[in-house]
Amino acid sequence: MIPVSSFKDCAVALFGLGGSGLATARALLAGGVKVTAWDDSPASVEKAAAEGVPTGDLATADWSGFAALVLAPGVPLTHPEPHWTVKKARAAGVEVIGDIELFCRERRAAGRPAFAAITGTNGKSTTTALLAHLLKVGGRDVQIGGNFGPAILGLEPPKGRRAYVIECSSYQIDLAPSLDPAVGILLNLSPDHLDRHGTMEHYAGVKERLIAGVEAGGTAVIGVDDDWSRAIADRAEAAGKNVVRVSVREALQDGVSLEGTDLVVREKGARMFTLPLAGIGSLRGAHNAQNAAAAFAAARALGLAPEVIATGMKSFPGLAHRMEQVRTLGSTLFVNDSKATNADAAERALTSFEDIFWIAGGKPKEGGIEPLRPFFPRVRKAYLIGVAAEAFAATLGETVPFQMCGTLDVAVARAAADAAASGLAHPVVLLSPACASFDQYRNFEVRGDAFRDLVNALPAA
């Protein structure tokens, strides 16, 4: 835990008592802060009180006595409208902040240990995990958390050469006005969470704060394959930031780019280092190449030698449910991409393999799988499950052979048998549902775990 001493002996209101909220409450109490915690859920309030967190109804509290409102990131700050606690705080002139902001203040007080903050619409978790892995291979003491993994204030406190690798969502950035990482990574931007940010301009503006706040002498690593991020890179450079651009679409004269199957590092046109990605299964696909390029640039900025980074890339195990290589049975590779809950996410997997035996379906998203039609030639056969099965069958039509399987266990058994009998050199049984899981599973993790268990239970013969 990181005790929060920046509000020692002050009264602070805290709203939102989920996992990160409870971790924040504990950290505030450990730092000698007078906490009044509340939640719209009576069960959450009761749980917090049972754990020794002081609770009190903030609707009737005297807000003039609070030094800050610490808001959980899942609570609306601006859209569709500010939460009632936010309105009360603003009316009383009380600042509204989150756990990332509290960490930043404690970090500055501890002498600014290494801190990399990662954001973007896609790829945040993989890049966060990969950068942490690279630093560990390089012998660093690493703490990883934030929007991925443990809540940031639940991590070990700053000391020595300890490095923090923190995934930051747009919600968290919005609550961190003094966010100032040593290395800031912005991977990409596309429309997302607009119900919470109102417009794409506001969403992009929130993400840009992470880059704009990079501390003096630090490094901003920015993917430049979309217009929004490219403009942010230009503005950051014009503001005097040290910017490293990354791209998987064009060869950069300055930065890290994907050329063929290699990451190539160039400075003023001169090739400085080449890192082959071919054969690294956990980093298959252009989207993972972008993650790898960003992690490479960030690791260099944090002092790792290119050769150490290359060694770390080869040993990266990848993340569960994100093109996770579960098992090879005979010549068939089984891949768990349960995190692909929409067509855009499934596209990344479909572009990464040939000869696919595709398990798809669940609770459908708007647009279904029609956007994936250009990739249907890669699919040998589809195995359809869940509520979306009939709609997906209509889209596949006569273009792709399919079976109506209903449930995942049936789909895995049939796909495994067909792949084994196909005579293909490298068939892939791919769970990339292009759907939410909620018709049959609590979340995509449970669905992915079920797939892994079913695959591992298949007989070796």
Side-chain angles (χ1 to χ4, degrees):
M1 179 196 305
I2 302 175
V4 176
S5 57
S6 52
F7 285 99
K8 182 177 173 58
D9 297 327
C10 295
V12 167
L14 183 149
F15 187 89
L17 289 168
S20 67
L22 284 173
T24 301
R26 297 185 195 107
L28 288 165
L29 292 169
V33 181
K34 300 171 186 177
V35 176
T36 302
W38 197 244
D39 196 287
D40 284 330
S41 164
S44 296
V45 174
E46 184 177 345
K47 178 182 178 183
E51 294 186 18
V53 175
T55 61
D57 188 351
L58 294 176
T60 58
D62 178 7
W63 282 80
S64 65
F66 291 133
L69 166 62
V70 180
L71 199 66
V75 181
L77 179 66
T78 57
H79 293 82
E81 66 173 315
H83 189 262
W84 61 264
T85 53
V86 176
K87 294 178 182 178
K88 284 183 172 290
R90 288 174 175 166
V94 173
E95 67 173 340
V96 182
I97 57 177
D99 59 350
I100 299 290
E101 176 66 20
L102 294 173
F103 167 80
C104 290
R105 298 182 186 189
E106 297 304 315
R107 172 183 174 257
R108 288 193 288 272
R112 296 182 178 271
F115 169 33
I118 299 94
T119 197
T121 302
N122 295 303
K124 296 186 295 295
S125 296
T126 296
T127 304
T128 300
L130 176 56
L131 178 56
H133 174 77
L134 296 176
L135 291 171
K136 289 175 183 176
V137 169
R140 301 291 293 274
D141 176 1
V142 182
Q143 293 286 297
I144 178 174
N147 193 52
F148 168 76
I152 191 168
L153 294 175
L155 301 176
E156 293 298 313
K159 73 170 186 178
R161 296 183 68 246
R162 178 168 285 162
Y164 292 84
V165 180
I166 305 299
E167 177 182 324
C168 294
S169 71
S170 57
Y171 304 163
Q172 291 171 315
I173 297 169
D174 222 4
L175 291 165
S178 72
L179 178 60
D180 58 347
V183 177
I185 301 175
L186 172 61
L187 293 164
N188 47 60
L189 285 172
S190 59
D192 197 21
H193 300 309
L194 299 190
D195 58 328
R196 280 285 301 270
H197 295 293
T199 65
M200 183 63 193
E201 287 77 8
H202 184 238
Y203 171 64
V206 170
K207 294 284 195 180
E208 186 170 0
R209 292 180 203 167
L210 184 145
I211 296 301
V214 168
E215 65 186 18
T219 300
V221 178
I222 306 175
V224 293
D225 288 337
D226 64 84
D227 292 341
W228 294 97
S229 300
R230 191 179 308 111
I232 290 171
D234 292 343
R235 286 193 291 271
E237 195 166 61
K241 299 290 183 185
N242 175 36
V243 175
V244 178
R245 291 171 167 82
V246 302
S247 176
V248 297
R249 294 183 180 174
E250 61 177 320
L252 300 174
Q253 294 305 298
D254 277 287
V256 187
S257 49
L258 180 66
E259 299 180 26
T261 59
D262 297 339
L263 288 184
V264 177
V265 183
R266 283 194 176 88
E267 296 178 4
K268 297 181 179 178
R271 183 183 288 238
M272 306 301 293
F273 192 77
T274 300
L275 194 161
L277 294 180
I280 305 178
S282 60
L283 296 175
R284 183 184 277 111
H287 66 295
N288 274 324
Q290 184 185 56
N291 301 334
F296 183 98
R300 287 289 294 127
L302 291 169
L304 263 62
E307 295 77 12
V308 173
I309 298 171
T311 298
M313 292 277 186
K314 293 174 185 176
S315 61
F316 178 57
L319 291 183
H321 317 301
R322 297 161 175 86
M323 285 174 54
E324 172 194 2
Q325 298 182 93
V326 174
R327 183 185 186 188
T328 299
L329 192 57
S331 62
T332 303
L333 174 64
F334 292 82
V335 176
N336 169 18
D337 194 39
S338 183
K339 180 66 167 64
T341 58
N342 56 43
D344 285 347
E347 177 182 333
R348 299 181 180 93
L350 293 179
T351 58
S352 299
F353 301 101
E354 302 282 352
D355 297 326
I356 299 168
F357 294 79
W358 182 27
I359 301 173
K363 184 177 180 181
K365 299 286 184 75
E366 186 176 350
I369 57 172
E370 181 60 37
L372 299 176
R373 186 173 295 279
F375 312 104
F376 288 174
R378 295 172 174 263
V379 179
R380 292 285 179 156
K381 190 172 181 178
Y383 305 82
L384 305 179
I385 63 175
V387 173
E390 289 189 9
F392 283 14
T395 302
L396 294 172
E398 297 182 0
T399 307
V400 176
F402 62 85
Q403 274 188 278
M404 304 293 282
C405 296
T407 57
L408 187 58
D409 57 338
V410 175
V412 168
R414 293 181 180 176
D418 289 347
S422 68
L424 296 166
H426 302 289
V428 177
V429 172
L430 171 67
L431 171 67
S432 192
C435 281
S437 62
F438 306 128
D439 58 337
Q440 295 179 327
Y441 298 95
R442 187 171 70 252
N443 53 46
F444 74 82
E445 291 99 335
V446 174
R447 177 173 61 190
D449 290 343
F451 176 79
R452 190 189 304 112
D453 290 344
L454 289 164
V455 168
N456 286 328
L458 292 169

